Amino acid sequence: MVYRTKLPDTASVVNSKDGERLFSASAERNSAPIINVVKRVAPNSGEALEIASGTGQHIVKLALSLPNLLWLPSEVEEERIKSISAWIKAENLSNIKPPLYLDATETGWSESLPQSDFILLVNLLHLISWNETEILIDELSKALKTKGIALIYGPFMRNGELTSEGDRNFHISLTQTDPDIGYKDDLDMLKLFSKSGLSCIEKVQMPANNLAFVLKKDSLTK
């Protein structure tokens, strides 16, 4: 992924800093609904990968909420990798591995990792291009064990439509900054999941007009 330094202010995820620990108010707001879905759909134990872990706020709460999963956070930005490490150290959690540098939009990244029982991706797809999204989903499928579960959360169009004023304004601010990025359509995503060997077993309406796709790795693919 090309590191995009020119995102609109509306896409900013880091609002404050405590030493090396970054803090995002939006991540704090959406963590509880996301964790509630993860607790319901994730396997009881095994290896869990979070792609684009951001500040690290989510991963420590996930590790506390699902202690039988061994979590691997990942990020592409050095400052956020340091922040994730600082959050882990502050919470003194043993079921989180050190954060991994991972550009999930690069072809072949799945080959460098053991397959996971669960993969989580939060609030990234609207910040990358469609081509990068195709690569990410294909690699995610390869990184998932057969019958493994993935959860993808974020803002999406519904059947080609932006369904709230806030979504319309945010999407426009993204595409004006970079015409290759912006909201993806839920129907396009369902086709992409299927093409990549992932079945959507549930589509969850989330707060603030977000969606969560619960995906299962098909047994006869990848």
Side-chain angles (χ1 to χ4, degrees):
M1 179 178 72
V2 176
Y3 174 43
R4 292 180 172 89
T5 56
K6 293 183 179 180
L7 288 171
D9 292 340
T10 47
S12 176
V13 295
V14 178
N15 299 321
S16 61
K17 191 170 183 178
D18 174 17
E20 289 192 325
R21 284 195 298 173
L22 303 175
F23 180 84
S24 163
S26 62
E28 194 68 19
R29 285 193 302 271
N30 66 32
S31 63
I34 292 170
I35 289 169
N36 286 339
V37 177
V38 173
K39 288 170 69 175
R40 181 168 60 80
V41 304
N44 293 325
S45 62
E47 304 267 346
L49 169 67
E50 185 183 26
I51 298 171
S53 297
T55 61
Q57 289 163 256
H58 280 167
I59 199 77
V60 294
K61 292 185 177 184
L62 286 161
L64 286 165
S65 300
L66 295 98
N68 292 327
L69 283 172
L70 180 59
W71 291 90
L72 174 61
S74 69
E75 250 299 337
V76 73
E77 297 176 29
E78 183 178 353
E79 186 181 34
R80 295 184 185 186
I81 290 174
K82 289 179 179 178
S83 177
I84 297 163
S85 295
W87 276 101
I88 295 170
K89 183 178 180 181
E91 296 293 341
N92 193 28
L93 295 166
S94 61
N95 63 323
I96 307 181
K97 295 180 181 180
L100 172 75
Y101 172 85
L102 175 64
D103 183 347
T105 65
E106 284 191 348
T107 301
W109 64 261
S110 61
E111 298 172 8
S112 64
L113 296 175
Q115 287 186 312
S116 298
D117 299 279
F118 180 72
I119 297 178
L120 176 65
L121 174 68
V122 172
N123 282 338
L124 178 62
L125 298 185
H126 59 293
L127 302 178
I128 64 176
S129 69
W130 180 251
N131 180 62
E132 290 170 323
T133 299
E134 289 181 307
I135 293 169
L136 189 155
I137 298 301
D138 186 58
E139 292 293 329
L140 181 153
S141 180
K142 293 174 182 176
L144 197 61
K145 290 181 181 177
T146 298
K147 298 185 179 179
I149 299 293
L151 178 67
I152 295 178
Y153 167 97
F156 294 91
M157 295 183 192
R158 271 64 156 191
N159 194 22
E161 298 292 330
L162 294 159
T163 55
S164 76
E165 189 65 25
D167 282 335
R168 282 188 285 274
N169 292 337
F170 188 24
H171 175 72
I172 290 169
S173 72
L174 291 169
T175 56
Q176 285 179 340
T177 305
D178 183 344
D180 289 333
I181 67 174
Y183 282 35
K184 310 302 182 283
D185 185 57
D186 61 344
L187 300 185
D188 290 337
M189 292 307 304
L190 291 173
K191 292 176 185 176
L192 180 57
F193 296 147
S194 179
K195 178 183 174 183
S196 298
L198 299 166
S199 295
C200 182
I201 57 177
E202 190 177 354
K203 187 166 71 171
V204 186
Q205 300 291 332
M206 302 292 284
N209 210 34
N210 290 301
L211 282 179
F213 295 97
V214 182
L215 309 171
K216 188 173 184 178
K217 172 79 169 283
D218 294 337
S219 58
L220 299 178
T221 60
K222 301 292 180 183

